[in-house]
């Protein structure tokens, strides 16, 4: 009883519930980026490996976030400057965001090129998909899981001091990702134009991570507003095509 009284005291106050609901919503929104990447990457695999790769990728995201929460003092220290260059003090968080952003930009650009000019890759597409089935695909998912996990946990630390709220928010957000992964991946696969839109999202997210790493913070609201508007326009295009 003493454990619950100490760690779950926030449940007795409206402010605690408000903080938990807000953080859950924020973690779910932050998970969209991760989920889009996982959906696009796993759709390139043979059909029999896709569900397993998605489960492994999302489970790894949960494990990474829980491990990072367990080392919360170290994670907070990752925002401390490590060195200064170009007039900006870089921390380990900045370096991780820049590396992840560069990877996302490279990956999105590569996939856009494959989509726009598939003739150059006809012979290698099938072999490439099989080769990355449980090796390269899982490695790439784990790499981006790490980047998004660090950003997610640091955001959580900035929003609340209650460790229990952080754990609850992370677990709920990952559960939502697990439920939404297959429907989202199927929707992307059945609507080819959505693939290009999703790749555009990844490109924008990658550039945002790089900018954030260099100290140019772009408010998340602007990013998600742009994504929402683009999705609305694409939805209208899909409706128009079906009506025709």
């Amino acid at each position: 009883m003493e454990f619950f009284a100490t760690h779950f005291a926030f449940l007795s106050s409206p402010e605690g519930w408000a903080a938990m609901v807000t953080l859950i919503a924020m973690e779910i929104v932050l998970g969209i980026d991760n989920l889009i990447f996982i959906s696009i990457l796993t759709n390139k695999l043979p059909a029999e490996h896709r569900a397993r790769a998605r489960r492994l990728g999302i489970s790894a995201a949960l494990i990474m976030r829980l491990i990072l929460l367990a080392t919360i003092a170290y994670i907070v220290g990752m925002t401390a400057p490590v060195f200064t260059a170009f007039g900006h003090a870089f921390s380990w968080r900045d370096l991780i965001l820049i590396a992840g952003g560069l990877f996302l930009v490279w990956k999105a650009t590569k996939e856009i090129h494959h989509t726009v000019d598939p003739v150059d890759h006809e012979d290698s597409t099938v072999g490439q998909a099989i080769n990355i089935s449980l090796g390269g695909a899982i490695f790439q998912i784990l790499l981006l899981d790490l980047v998004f996990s660090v950003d997610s946990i640091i955001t959580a630390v900035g929003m609340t001091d209650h460790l229990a709220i952080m754990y609850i928010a992370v677990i709920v957000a990952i559960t939502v990702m697990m439920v939404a992964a297959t429907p989202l991946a199927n929707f992307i696969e059945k609507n080819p134009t959505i693939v290009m839109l999703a790749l555009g999202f990844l490109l924008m997210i990658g550039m945002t991570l790089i900018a954030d790493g260099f100290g140019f913070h772009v408010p998340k609201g602007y990013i998600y507003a742009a994504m929402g508007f683009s999705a609305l326009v694409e939805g209208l295009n899909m409706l128009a095509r079906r009506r025709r």
Side-chain angles (χ1 to χ4, degrees):
M1 291 297 292
E2 184 178 346
F3 173 83
F4 284 97
T6 303
H7 293 87
F8 293 91
F10 67 89
L11 293 175
S12 61
S13 67
E15 293 81 6
W17 280 97
M20 184 173 68
V21 171
T22 302
L23 186 55
I24 287 173
M26 179 65 72
E27 290 294 326
I28 290 173
V29 170
L30 290 174
I32 292 173
D33 308 342
N34 206 347
L35 197 55
I36 290 174
F37 178 80
I38 290 174
S39 298
I40 290 177
L41 191 60
T42 54
N43 278 349
K44 293 175 66 66
L45 304 176
E48 64 271 18
H49 296 317
R50 292 175 187 173
R52 184 181 178 191
R54 281 193 290 269
R55 285 195 301 271
L56 286 173
I58 297 174
S59 299
L62 173 60
I63 293 170
M64 280 189 185
R65 282 164 170 78
L66 294 179
I67 291 173
L68 291 176
L69 279 173
T71 58
I72 198 74
Y74 175 73
I75 296 302
V76 172
M78 291 182 70
T79 58
V82 178
F83 65 91
T84 301
F86 309 109
H88 175 65
F90 291 89
S91 65
W92 282 113
R93 173 184 177 272
D94 295 332
L95 297 178
I96 291 173
L97 291 181
I98 291 171
L102 289 172
F103 176 75
L104 265 186
V105 169
W106 169 77
K107 187 65 180 176
T109 302
K110 181 181 176 183
E111 295 300 327
I112 288 172
H113 176 61
H114 284 198
T115 304
V116 172
D117 192 14
V119 177
D120 290 347
H121 311 280
E122 272 184 343
D123 298 333
S124 61
T125 300
V126 175
Q128 201 173 41
I130 293 173
N131 288 337
I132 67 170
S133 58
L134 289 176
I138 296 299
F139 174 76
Q140 292 178 51
I141 290 172
L142 289 176
L143 185 61
L144 262 295
D145 276 348
L146 175 62
V147 175
F148 288 127
S149 293
V150 169
D151 198 29
S152 168
I153 298 306
I154 289 178
T155 299
V157 171
M159 291 185 65
T160 181
D161 296 326
H162 295 284
L163 194 59
I165 291 180
M166 298 181 201
Y167 274 106
I168 293 171
V170 165
I171 292 171
V172 171
I174 294 295
T175 302
V176 171
M177 286 176 61
M178 191 74 77
V179 172
T182 298
L184 178 62
N186 291 340
F187 180 74
I188 289 175
E189 185 181 20
K190 292 176 182 177
N191 297 274
T193 56
I194 293 293
V195 175
M196 189 62 71
L197 180 65
L199 289 172
F201 288 165
L202 291 181
L203 197 60
M204 180 173 65
I205 293 164
M207 292 302 298
T208 303
L209 291 176
I210 294 172
D212 201 354
F214 278 98
F216 300 98
H217 180 66
V218 181
K220 299 283 187 184
Y222 293 152
I223 302 301
Y224 294 119
M227 291 171 65
F229 180 75
S230 302
L232 176 62
V233 172
E234 180 59 26
L236 292 174
N237 282 331
M238 290 171 60
L239 180 62
R241 285 193 296 270
R242 289 178 182 175
R243 289 290 176 88
R244 288 197 296 268

